Amino acid sequence: MLPIIIAAVCAVVLIVVGLFVWNWYANAATYITLNESELTFGKAGSSKSISVEHDGHSWDIETTPFWAHAVKNETSFTVTCTANTTGKDRQGFIVVKSGHVTAQLAVTQKAHASYIRLSESELNVDRTGGAADVRIESDSNDFDIQAPHFCHIEKNDTGIKITFDANDGKSREGEIIVSDGNVSASLHFQQEGGCDFCGGEGTVRCSQCGGSGQISEWGLFSGTTTRPCGSCGGTGRIPCPHCTSGN
């Protein structure tokens, strides 16, 4: 009987000691810190890494927003957000824990672009039409595009392809606007027209100054002087009488 009692007492002692040791092991940390206190993701989403420092034996990720995914590594974790298609900014927190101490990371994802940059700001298009590839840099991947009816837009992985119809009429110009929310970028283009008189340029040489932009005058006391041509404003060119540039 005595051996049984001794064995039971030993078992209880081992359990108590084991629980004490486990409690000490699990709650040994006095601090846990992250190298960032907040993360901001663009509308398109991406992945970012966060470093973890602590003095405990282990750490873990306690909570994560439903729209974000956190993967634990040895001394860091990677946060990934997919595209935000809700139309609203979203915010949440990721909590990491070691023992009884925790650290919190604020996570925000925008619903619209914070910047849009185009690889081209100006295009000159031949009267026969043609195509141009324009790269788009942005933290969004969903854009509204406005363009004249004779411009055809095709989206691709790096931006847009613009195809211009042939122009048999007057020379023309316009804007292609890429936007998301309140952020936008624009591209201005000019296309030659089919006017035989000016070659589609929309202007011709000024007949008043012969295209020099200057008028020479002779005075008895002043001699020869020059002044800007009043007909062309000193440019040497005047609007084509058969067509109007920009229409």
Side-chain angles (χ1 to χ4, degrees):
M1 185 69 178
L2 183 59
I4 296 176
I5 295 175
I6 293 174
V9 171
C10 290
V12 171
V13 171
L14 288 174
I15 292 173
V16 172
V17 171
L19 290 174
F20 176 81
V21 171
W22 172 254
N23 185 65
W24 171 82
Y25 181 86
N27 298 285
T30 61
Y31 74 90
I32 182 169
T33 60
L34 308 177
N35 68 320
E36 300 283 353
S37 60
E38 60 182 27
L39 286 181
T40 300
F41 290 89
K43 176 181 178 180
S46 62
S47 295
K48 298 181 181 181
S49 181
I50 297 295
S51 298
V52 180
E53 290 187 5
H54 64 100
D55 62 350
H57 298 286
S58 63
W59 66 278
D60 207 351
I61 301 172
E62 290 286 292
T63 59
T64 304
F66 73 90
W67 43 268
H69 185 56
V71 177
K72 177 185 173 184
N73 305 308
E74 185 175 352
T75 59
S76 65
F77 62 94
T78 302
V79 184
T80 301
C81 292
T82 56
N84 182 2
T85 58
T86 65
K88 297 180 180 180
D89 292 353
R90 48 191 183 187
Q91 298 177 322
F93 295 93
I94 294 176
V95 178
V96 297
K97 182 177 182 181
S98 179
H100 286 312
V101 293
T102 60
Q104 184 171 271
L105 176 71
V107 183
T108 301
Q109 186 174 22
K110 299 297 184 180
H112 300 288
S114 60
Y115 70 92
I116 299 174
R117 290 190 287 267
L118 306 181
S119 62
E120 308 290 339
S121 60
E122 188 86 20
L123 287 177
N124 292 313
V125 186
D126 189 86
R127 61 182 292 185
T128 59
D133 290 309
V134 178
R135 297 187 305 277
I136 299 177
E137 294 183 11
S138 178
D139 54 357
S140 174
N141 58 2
D142 184 22
F143 307 104
D144 294 322
I145 301 176
Q146 301 175 37
H149 66 88
F150 52 86
C151 302
H152 308 282
I153 307 298
E154 180 182 346
K155 296 181 180 179
N156 52 49
D157 292 338
T158 59
I160 55 176
K161 180 179 181 180
I162 310 169
T163 302
F164 297 88
D165 291 341
N167 183 16
D168 294 327
K170 301 175 183 179
S171 59
R172 56 193 180 188
E173 60 183 308
E175 301 280 338
I176 295 174
I177 301 174
V178 180
S179 63
D180 183 18
N182 295 324
V183 179
S184 65
S186 62
L187 182 155
H188 179 263
F189 69 87
Q190 294 178 316
Q191 185 176 22
E192 297 177 353
C195 177
D196 293 330
F197 192 80
C198 66
E201 293 184 5
T203 62
V204 295
R205 186 176 64 176
C206 175
S207 59
Q208 187 71 22
C209 64
S212 68
Q214 301 290 320
I215 298 293
S216 297
E217 297 176 331
W218 185 86
L220 180 62
F221 300 103
S222 61
T224 302
T225 60
T226 60
R227 61 176 176 82
C229 176
S231 297
C232 64
T235 64
R237 309 288 294 181
I238 60 173
C240 175
H242 295 276
C243 71
T244 302
S245 179
N247 292 336

